Amino acid sequence: MDGKGEFSQLAGNINSITDGLKKSVDSEIKSERLKTELITNVSHDIRTPLTSIITYVDLLKIENDPERIAEYVDVLDQKSKRLKQLTDDLFEAAKASSGSMPVQLERIDIVSLLTQGIGEMAEKIEASALDVKLALPNEKVYAKADGKLLWRAIENLFSNIFKYAQPASRVYIDVEDLGNELLVTFKNISAYELNISADELMERFTRGDESRSSQGSGLGLSIAESLVHLQHGKFLVRVDGDLFKAMIYLPKFPAE
């Protein structure tokens, strides 16, 4: 690289190509590692209810007590629904990350989408004793997005909040106009210790609690990220102590 001649410029170009190749290889290795972790983690979660189903089916074959049979059937019902949830989430995560979902970008009133959705989830919000605080722009703002996919991403964030937020705490939802894009921020206090970084929380396809004892699939954030990316947006997660923050950046719909 010494000097200013043609060989110096050639050396710089070669170094640039090498750096780009290294980043590409590192990215591919990381992608393969994440796929392996996804398969391992979800396989673990799927195996748990499946093992219970097999066990209780075997018990039913030899049980004659009607009360016991009713108990076993109830357990089977719960475990089969759990298994269905896991497989549905896995399918949606795979479909969203593959980019094969159809996307129809249009003008979306983001404030109306949020307020209507919160209204529909009023019972869940009341049951969790969460206090939802909205901070909205004074004027209407429109995102260039797919309404169905955007709501599915937001729904996943709400699902994450219902499962992992500290009961009877506040949830803050802010909508900001940043000029060329809109920012929707969800903030809540976690009921579990957030003992991993935000990057790990997104990359490892796991829940914040490493015990994996709760009922989530651990795929909600990954699905939300993929759905937002399909709409040419950005999805970020930040962790500060027990404060969990998810941010959705969306392009604004151009003014008419």
Side-chain angles (χ1 to χ4, degrees):
M1 291 288 291
D2 293 337
K4 297 181 180 179
E6 292 182 0
F7 285 110
S8 175
Q9 184 178 356
L10 177 62
N13 291 338
I14 292 174
N15 286 341
S16 179
I17 293 171
T18 303
D19 291 340
L21 182 61
K22 183 178 183 302
K23 289 179 181 178
S24 178
V25 171
D26 288 345
S27 176
E28 187 63 27
I29 292 174
K30 178 181 176 182
S31 176
E32 290 301 317
R33 176 175 59 82
L34 296 182
K35 289 176 184 177
T36 301
E37 289 184 1
L38 169 62
I39 293 170
T40 302
N41 292 332
V42 177
S43 296
H44 173 277
D45 279 352
I46 288 176
R47 185 172 54 192
T48 302
L50 185 58
T51 301
S52 295
I53 290 171
I54 294 171
T55 301
Y56 279 93
V57 166
D58 289 339
L59 289 172
L60 276 175
K61 292 176 181 179
I62 60 174
E63 185 61 63
N64 295 316
D65 185 348
E67 290 187 4
R68 286 281 182 89
I69 290 175
E71 290 178 8
Y72 295 163
V73 170
D74 185 52
V75 172
L76 285 170
D77 181 57
Q78 294 176 23
K79 297 301 180 181
S80 60
K81 288 177 180 176
R82 169 69 175 147
L83 187 59
K84 183 179 184 303
Q85 177 195 341
L86 288 167
T87 52
D88 286 348
D89 284 353
L90 179 58
F91 176 75
E92 185 172 15
K95 192 174 179 182
S97 62
S98 70
S100 61
M101 282 185 168
V103 181
Q104 184 175 349
L105 299 177
E106 53 189 355
R107 190 175 80 156
I108 301 296
D109 184 341
I110 191 71
V111 173
S112 295
L113 184 72
L114 282 169
T115 52
Q116 181 179 345
I118 290 171
E120 292 175 358
M121 292 186 290
E123 290 186 7
K124 286 186 177 180
I125 293 173
E126 186 177 350
S128 61
L130 293 171
D131 185 10
V132 178
K133 301 289 187 181
L134 284 171
L136 307 173
N138 294 326
E139 299 180 358
K140 280 197 171 186
V141 289
Y142 298 95
K144 187 177 182 181
D146 183 306
K148 291 181 180 179
L149 296 185
L150 178 56
W151 175 245
R152 186 69 187 97
I154 291 173
E155 197 174 33
N156 273 333
L157 292 180
F158 271 115
S159 178
N160 192 69
I161 289 169
F162 291 141
K163 289 169 185 170
Y164 307 123
Q166 181 69 38
S169 62
R170 294 185 181 89
V171 176
Y172 296 91
I173 303 174
D174 303 336
V175 179
E176 299 176 67
D177 186 343
L178 303 181
N180 293 326
E181 59 184 358
L182 300 177
L183 170 60
V184 185
T185 306
F186 295 77
K187 292 180 284 187
N188 68 273
I189 299 298
S190 174
Y192 303 90
E193 181 180 355
L194 294 174
N195 50 8
I196 59 177
S197 69
D199 288 341
E200 288 177 307
L201 201 60
M202 288 300 307
E203 291 176 359
R204 290 169 55 190
F205 299 94
T206 62
R207 297 181 291 278
D209 57 313
E210 291 186 343
S211 65
R212 304 180 65 82
S213 59
S214 62
Q215 292 301 306
S217 66
L219 293 170
L221 294 178
S222 173
I223 293 171
E225 181 184 35
S226 297
L227 293 174
V228 171
H229 284 176
L230 285 174
Q231 300 168 79
H232 310 301
K234 292 181 294 183
F235 181 85
L236 301 174
V237 165
R238 294 286 181 267
V239 174
D240 185 1
D242 289 335
L243 175 64
F244 176 84
K245 182 161 66 171
M247 295 169 285
I248 297 176
Y249 291 85
L250 293 166
K252 277 180 67 177
F253 194 87
E256 295 180 353

